[in-house]
Amino acid sequence: MSVGIDEISFYTSNYFLDLKNLAARQQIDSDKYYQGIGQEKMGMPAPDEDVVTMAANAALPLIERVGPDAVSTVMFATETGIDQSKSAGVYVHRLLGLSPRCRVVELKQACYSATAAIQMACALVARQPEKKVLVVASDVARYDLSTPGEATQGCGAVAMLITANPRLVELDPEVGNYTEDVMDFWRPNYRSTALVDGKYSTKIYLKSLKQAWEHFREVSSLAFSDFQHFCYHLPFTRMAQKAHKHLAKVNKSELTPEMLDLQIEDSLSYNRIIGNSYTASMYIGLVSLLENCKQNLSGERVGFFSYGSGCVAEFFSGRVVAGYEQYLHGARHKAMLEARNEVSYEEYLQLYNDVDPVDGGEHQKQQGTTGRFRLAAVSHHKREYIAC
Ligand code: HMG
């Protein structure tokens, strides 16, 4: 019996800022963003949108297919949680009408936690193969204005059904891990934006890749040349290109520009126009690979590098299942991305400054999302979510 990803769907906001616009305001060359960090647009959540509504929107098509009683566990991965105590997944559970007999939990370790959720989901399914676990990863990447991180903001959510005999990607049980206590990126409880030591974070990312890969090689018989494609954690797409060159060098493998393109480029298309979505980022990269690769991926081996600042990293592998293309949501994803509205720099600032009220009063949220769920109000310190 194999275990892995049976279905995958993602969601992002209907608003985006073109980084040409940001560059113009900063009076810098837009190629620094388009070429230097490999990002063109960044998603900005609507005032009535957060990690809960995005996650519910991502998961809805999966639940509409399998039915609300099919899911035994929801694992919600995020680093932009909305409550220190209650799992964001419990709101999603209600919005999707899931069974009261379904367990729900939230996981955190920066951008890595969706991978932890998947590994735990695989273990649950291996123990009870008839179960389906819903893993959702949802985040809003926010940095202070006028900092180097600003251009790497974004938002998005991904939902995955983890099952036995999956229809998309079978995951191998061998994984390589690397953990080290470092301060490359963090967000204290009292802040709504992340703090980051940007250049250091890219170095730690590459160090973790080498370490996780070396551990993977100790436990798996797979070598670098056994992989046809790679999905990297995507804080910005240039990071993946640098990472892949680094991994090829570690393996003393020649990597021509054509090979670099073939092995990672299709996984970057969606992230380049969405931005960083932290926990969801690498998995939106996987959707991008599956939906944008012109060649048939059936039977091909994919290497995954998941990285969460702080830091925890994991290298793992999977194989694309024959016939996978019938079960993708490509047309819907592309239509969603094409229907987004570009915001001006002033509108971007308005969205950026629309932070949650903290006074306990009654606050209706301004309508903006075109998704199926919205945060209608924050009243008496309670968040009120509704289906549209
Ligand atoms: P910066 O200082 O603004 O950028 O910050 P830079 O000056 O280093 O320029 C970036 C690249 O653009 C350079 O290329 C320049 O040469 C090039 P490189 O040397 O890297 O190859 N460039 C140009 N290219 C073409 N035309 C031009 C031009 N001008 C310059 N005109 C930094 C960059 C990534 C540090 C910043 O964006 C940042 O702090 N981002 C946030 C942190 C981050 O994303 N870190 C990534 C690793 S950590 C991670 O992935 C975890 C994370 O997702 C969080 C989590 O786990 O929860 C962040």
Side-chain angles (χ1 to χ4, degrees):
M1 180 190 76
S2 62
V3 180
I5 304 172
D6 185 66
E7 197 168 354
I8 186 165
S9 156
F10 79 91
Y11 176 85
T12 186
S13 163
N14 44 301
Y15 295 126
F16 72 87
L17 178 75
D18 195 309
L19 293 181
K20 279 188 178 148
N21 213 328
L22 183 65
R25 289 295 167 147
Q26 296 171 338
Q27 299 183 317
I28 62 164
D29 183 353
S30 59
D31 276 352
K32 171 167 179 185
Y33 297 146
Y34 269 54
Q35 308 296 331
I37 62 166
Q39 291 299 121
E40 296 177 9
K41 296 169 182 172
M42 61 188 192
M44 286 298 294
D48 52 350
E49 210 160 39
D50 68 5
V51 290
V52 168
T53 60
M54 288 195 302
N57 278 307
L60 184 64
L62 311 191
I63 300 305
E64 282 177 338
R65 186 183 66 81
V66 294
D69 294 330
V71 173
S72 62
T73 298
V74 176
M75 296 197 177
F76 195 114
T78 187
E79 58 178 297
T80 35
I82 37 113
D83 196 289
Q84 298 283 18
S85 173
K86 179 169 174 169
S87 164
V90 174
Y91 297 105
V92 172
H93 176 276
R94 176 178 63 77
L95 290 172
L96 297 176
L98 302 183
S99 162
R101 298 204 163 155
C102 168
R103 72 158 78 80
V104 180
V105 68
E106 184 171 310
L107 293 91
K108 178 175 70 182
Q109 174 31 57
C111 302
Y112 166 72
S113 64
T115 300
I118 284 180
Q119 296 300 356
M120 290 175 194
C122 286
L124 286 174
V125 172
R127 194 161 144 173
Q128 290 182 292
E130 73 284 4
K131 301 285 186 195
K132 290 181 178 18
V133 179
L134 176 66
V135 171
V136 283
S138 184
D139 268 305
V140 178
R142 279 276 164 88
Y143 297 89
D144 286 344
L145 297 175
S146 307
T147 61
E150 184 180 3
T152 65
Q153 297 177 115
C155 65
V158 70
M160 293 168 270
L161 275 179
I162 305 301
T163 69
N165 304 318
R167 298 171 306 163
L168 297 184
V169 182
E170 295 171 343
L171 295 174
D172 301 316
E174 298 81 13
V175 304
N177 286 111
Y178 182 70
T179 297
E180 185 183 350
D181 182 3
V182 288
M183 295 302 279
D184 62 329
F185 167 108
W186 66 105
R187 184 168 69 84
N189 286 344
Y190 49 82
R191 285 183 62 99
S192 59
T193 51
L195 295 165
V196 63
D197 188 343
K199 296 265 159 60
Y200 177 58
S201 73
T202 61
K203 288 197 175 76
I204 290 289
Y205 178 116
L206 296 180
K207 177 184 174 187
S208 305
L209 170 61
K210 180 171 183 288
Q211 297 288 333
W213 169 256
E214 282 172 357
H215 183 208
F216 178 78
R217 288 287 289 129
E218 283 169 29
V219 296
S220 167
S221 58
L222 295 171
F224 185 69
S225 55
D226 291 321
F227 292 93
Q228 287 76 47
H229 300 276
F230 293 79
C231 290
Y232 289 91
H233 168 55
L234 293 172
F236 49 91
T237 65
R238 270 281 280 157
M239 189 73 234
Q241 291 162 345
K242 284 185 181 183
H244 198 50
K245 285 181 190 161
H246 187 67
L247 194 60
K249 205 167 148 197
V250 165
N251 284 284
K252 300 184 177 51
S253 283
E254 195 209 353
L255 189 67
T256 61
E258 294 72 33
M259 283 159 72
L260 178 75
D261 237 46
L262 193 70
Q263 292 178 350
I264 67 165
E265 208 46 42
D266 288 322
S267 71
L268 310 181
S269 309
Y270 291 158
N271 188 275
R272 188 175 279 121
I273 56 169
I274 293 174
N276 196 352
S277 52
Y278 292 156
T279 51
S281 201
M282 186 183 77
Y283 295 97
I284 294 179
L286 170 63
V287 185
S288 184
L289 168 65
L290 296 174
E291 293 179 355
N292 292 308
C293 188
K294 300 271 183 299
Q295 80 197 68
N296 192 311
L297 294 169
S298 297
E300 304 223 316
R301 185 78 66 178
V302 183
F304 296 90
F305 176 64
S306 177
Y307 176 77
S309 283
C311 69
V312 179
E314 184 160 317
F315 193 96
F316 61 105
S317 61
R319 199 208 295 253
V320 181
V321 179
Y324 70 99
E325 62 278 17
Q326 303 161 58
Y327 309 113
L328 301 174
H329 293 264
R332 185 174 54 77
H333 289 147
K334 285 175 184 154
M336 172 181 71
L337 291 169
E338 271 159 30
R340 296 188 302 167
N341 301 308
E342 180 174 353
V343 295
S344 67
Y345 181 74
E346 289 70 27
E347 288 165 329
Y348 154 69
L349 286 185
Q350 271 173 22
L351 291 172
Y352 180 96
N353 289 319
D354 189 275
V355 292
D356 282 343
V358 294
D359 62 3
E362 293 187 6
H363 301 275
Q364 299 300 313
K365 297 295 281 187
Q366 188 195 329
Q367 192 134 12
T369 180
T370 51
R372 293 278 298 276
F373 303 100
R374 61 183 297 265
L375 173 64
V378 181
S379 295
H380 310 296
H381 297 296
K382 291 179 189 160
R383 302 174 82 80
E384 295 170 14
Y385 293 101
I386 56 167
C388 304

